[in-house]
């Protein structure tokens, strides 16, 4: 199978989708003719949102981009990239800690699938502090101001579902 170097695949858990994730997809959609957003399903993790919920949210958030599709997958990311026919694994970097972890992962991926190139996009400065754990803490512990504060971290369409998840747990 020949992989398309103009087709990038951006994988992650997207639990929840953040403004940083959207920034990487939007910028990647300008560079590549096709972007596949792959929602990884890890049976060892207990995500806040189901794969279907994450897929539905991302499809709605990315509907304005005709060259972007959203799929769920299990297993190795490089296998998913190959199945999609993508020649590029797109990754976002926020901090130096990300660089070290992504470097190690890229070396492993290159050993597993040398025909796939990994391309990194630096997060826009205003999103470098965003992490899913921070977002979940704000949603869980932010009280009456959680919804307003979350708008700085996640798309407005994600705020209510996020707050509702924690409200239903109490």
């Amino acid at each position: 199978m020949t992989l398309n170097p103009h087709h990038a695949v951006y994988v992650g858990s997207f639990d929840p989708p953040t403004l940083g994730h959207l920034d990487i997809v939007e910028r990647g959609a300008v560079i590549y003719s096709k972007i596949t957003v792959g929602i990884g399903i890890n049976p060892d993790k207990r995500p806040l949102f189901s794969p279907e919920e994450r897929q539905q949210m991302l499809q709605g958030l990315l509907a304005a981009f005709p060259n972007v599709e959203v799929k769920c997958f299990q297993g190795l990311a490089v296998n998913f990239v190959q199945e999609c026919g993508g020649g590029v694994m797109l990754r976002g970097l926020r901090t130096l800690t990300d660089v070290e972890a992504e470097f190690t992962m890229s070396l492993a991926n290159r050993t597993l699938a040398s025909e796939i190139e990994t391309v990194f996009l630096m997060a826009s400065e205003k999103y470098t502090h965003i992490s899913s754990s921070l977002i979940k803490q704000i949603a869980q512990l932010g009280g009456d101001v959680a919804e307003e504060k979350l708008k700085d971290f996640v798309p407005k369409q994600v705020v209510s579902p996020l707050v509702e998840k924690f409200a239903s747990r109490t």
Side-chain angles (χ1 to χ4, degrees):
M1 173 193 284
T2 304
L3 301 179
N4 182 350
H6 303 286
H7 178 181
V9 181
Y10 179 42
V11 297
S13 62
F14 305 103
D15 187 43
T18 70
L19 293 173
H21 294 137
L22 294 186
D23 176 56
I24 297 296
V25 174
E26 289 172 13
R27 291 170 42 218
V30 173
I31 300 168
Y32 295 98
S33 60
K34 183 174 182 180
I35 300 276
T36 300
V37 176
I39 301 166
I41 302 168
N42 184 340
D44 295 333
K45 288 189 174 181
R46 298 180 55 92
L48 186 60
F49 291 100
S50 72
E52 297 78 21
E53 288 172 318
R54 289 179 274 163
Q55 184 174 19
Q56 206 169 30
M57 280 190 273
L58 281 164
Q59 285 173 331
L61 293 166
L62 299 170
F65 299 92
N67 63 330
V68 175
E69 66 179 349
V70 181
K71 296 181 175 182
C72 293
F73 75 96
Q74 287 186 317
L76 294 175
V78 290
N79 292 346
F80 177 69
V81 174
Q82 289 171 324
E83 289 167 18
C84 292
V88 175
M89 183 178 296
L90 184 62
R91 304 294 298 161
L93 295 173
R94 297 171 300 170
T95 63
L96 285 175
T97 306
D98 283 353
V99 172
E100 186 174 349
E102 290 290 342
F103 180 78
T104 301
M105 192 181 323
S106 292
L107 291 174
N109 287 339
R110 191 150 190 77
T111 300
L112 295 169
S114 62
E115 70 280 11
I116 297 172
E117 288 295 337
T118 301
V119 174
F120 299 99
L121 289 180
M122 294 299 299
S124 295
E125 185 179 308
K126 59 186 172 184
Y127 302 127
T128 58
H129 64 289
I130 296 176
S131 70
S132 62
S133 55
L134 173 65
I135 290 167
K136 289 172 185 174
Q137 278 188 324
I138 294 167
Q140 184 175 17
L141 305 172
D144 295 342
V145 297
E147 285 194 43
E148 187 58 37
K149 296 298 181 186
L150 284 168
K151 291 177 187 170
D152 293 332
F153 301 94
V154 298
K156 62 182 178 200
Q157 301 91 319
V158 176
V159 172
S160 290
L162 187 56
V163 171
E164 288 169 15
K165 282 286 182 182
F166 285 103
S168 67
R169 289 181 170 196
T170 57

